[in-house]
Amino acid sequence: MSEISYEIKKYSKKYLKSCAKLVLNTWDFHSGFVGVKDNLDIYITYVKECLDYSIHREIIVNENDEVCGLLFGSIENNGIIENMKCKVSSLFTSMYQLSLWGLGKFGNRKVARQIAATHRRVDCLGEEQSDLFDGEVNLFIVSKELRGKKYGYQLMNDYVEFCKVNQMKSIFLWTELSCTYTFYERYGFQRYSTFHDKSLTDGKKSKDNGFVYCFKIEQE
């Protein structure tokens, strides 16, 4: 039996649904919603939000052209014009999300609105000190079948190289207990700070369950 081959390539719009399916198969963002007929709409919206401010967009696809890994990363201070483009993109995503909400694609509207508010609150906690860094890993996932095969390292190496080319000195990301945050520690990220939110894993306990990691870019 021949070994499955994988290819690392730049993201394009045709992979949006495939990226959303990868997130759906990795994380559970939908269980809190009520009356949703197609959970994929939730994940498509999430991926679009992550793409809005991501300048570096790289994916891994298998022989069937299905996304099996991805890393979307930003440049925090990318100039006035590029920042405006990101804000415009974010505005269109918000309008798209609002249209789905109005059509009932997120099920019970009150519940969906509460979940969106929680998402914004946690995101603000994770990005509270974003001004101290030059870039952010906005979304990073490797499918289960690729873990332990260095594909995650390759994606991160490519983003770090992108940061070097753009004269960036540091990047950061935030994660939580249920994610494989030990990968970042093995790669060389340092835990910068922690926070607690009731919506995250073990949220009923008083201990911090959200983590901010940073990585120093060594310019050659």
Side-chain angles (χ1 to χ4, degrees):
M1 187 174 181
S2 60
E3 185 177 349
I4 299 175
S5 62
Y6 299 91
E7 180 184 359
I8 296 178
K9 59 170 61 177
K10 291 183 179 180
Y11 168 84
S12 65
K13 290 181 179 180
K14 74 172 186 176
Y15 291 108
L16 176 60
K17 284 189 177 181
S18 190
C19 287
K21 289 179 181 178
L22 174 62
V23 181
L24 171 61
N25 292 329
T26 306
W27 297 330
D28 176 11
F29 290 161
H30 64 269
S31 61
F33 289 82
V34 176
V36 177
K37 294 182 179 180
D38 186 358
N39 290 324
L40 193 62
D41 288 326
I42 297 169
Y43 293 87
I44 288 174
T45 303
Y46 175 72
V47 172
K48 286 171 72 70
E49 289 177 338
C50 293
L51 284 166
D52 286 337
Y53 286 90
S54 295
I55 309 301
H56 176 86
R57 304 170 174 183
E58 193 168 65
I59 59 175
I60 302 172
V61 297
N62 61 19
E63 294 173 333
N64 298 318
D65 210 29
E66 299 166 328
V67 178
C68 300
L70 58 84
L71 192 154
F72 302 153
S74 72
I75 299 177
E76 291 297 286
N77 297 303
N78 198 32
I80 296 176
I81 294 177
E82 291 301 325
N83 284 339
M84 282 300 298
K85 288 181 180 178
C86 291
K87 288 181 179 179
V88 170
S89 178
S90 180
L91 177 60
F92 276 107
T93 296
S94 296
M95 293 171 61
Y96 171 80
Q97 185 178 25
L98 185 61
S99 69
L100 292 184
W101 180 84
L103 291 169
K105 296 291 187 178
F106 299 143
N108 184 287
R109 291 180 176 84
K110 182 179 179 181
V111 172
R113 185 168 58 247
Q114 291 172 341
I115 291 174
T118 297
H119 172 73
R120 288 193 297 270
R121 182 186 71 232
V122 177
D123 207 40
C124 286
L125 287 172
E127 298 184 354
E128 190 173 16
Q129 297 171 307
S130 61
D131 290 345
L132 300 177
F133 307 99
D134 298 322
E136 178 183 4
V137 178
N138 291 320
L139 184 59
F140 174 50
I141 299 179
V142 175
S143 62
K144 291 181 180 179
E145 65 265 28
L146 291 188
R147 292 175 189 172
K149 298 180 179 180
K150 301 299 181 181
Y151 282 98
Y153 280 85
Q154 184 61 57
L155 288 175
M156 192 63 72
N157 287 342
D158 290 347
Y159 179 48
V160 169
E161 187 60 34
F162 167 84
C163 294
K164 289 180 180 179
V165 170
N166 286 279
Q167 302 299 308
M168 298 159 64
K169 296 181 180 179
S170 62
I171 57 176
F172 83 103
L173 59 89
W174 72 265
T175 185
E176 63 128 336
L177 277 174
S178 67
C179 298
T180 53
Y181 56 88
T182 53
F183 168 87
Y184 303 114
E185 295 174 353
R186 293 194 301 272
Y187 188 86
F189 280 78
Q190 301 294 317
R191 186 174 294 186
Y192 185 81
S193 63
T194 62
F195 60 92
H196 177 270
D197 191 88
K198 62 183 179 181
S199 69
L200 300 179
T201 305
D202 289 346
K204 294 181 179 179
K205 300 179 182 179
S206 60
K207 65 179 181 179
D208 285 350
N209 52 3
F211 314 122
V212 177
Y213 281 92
C214 65
F215 185 84
K216 184 178 179 181
I217 307 296
E218 298 290 345
Q219 294 290 344
E220 296 176 356

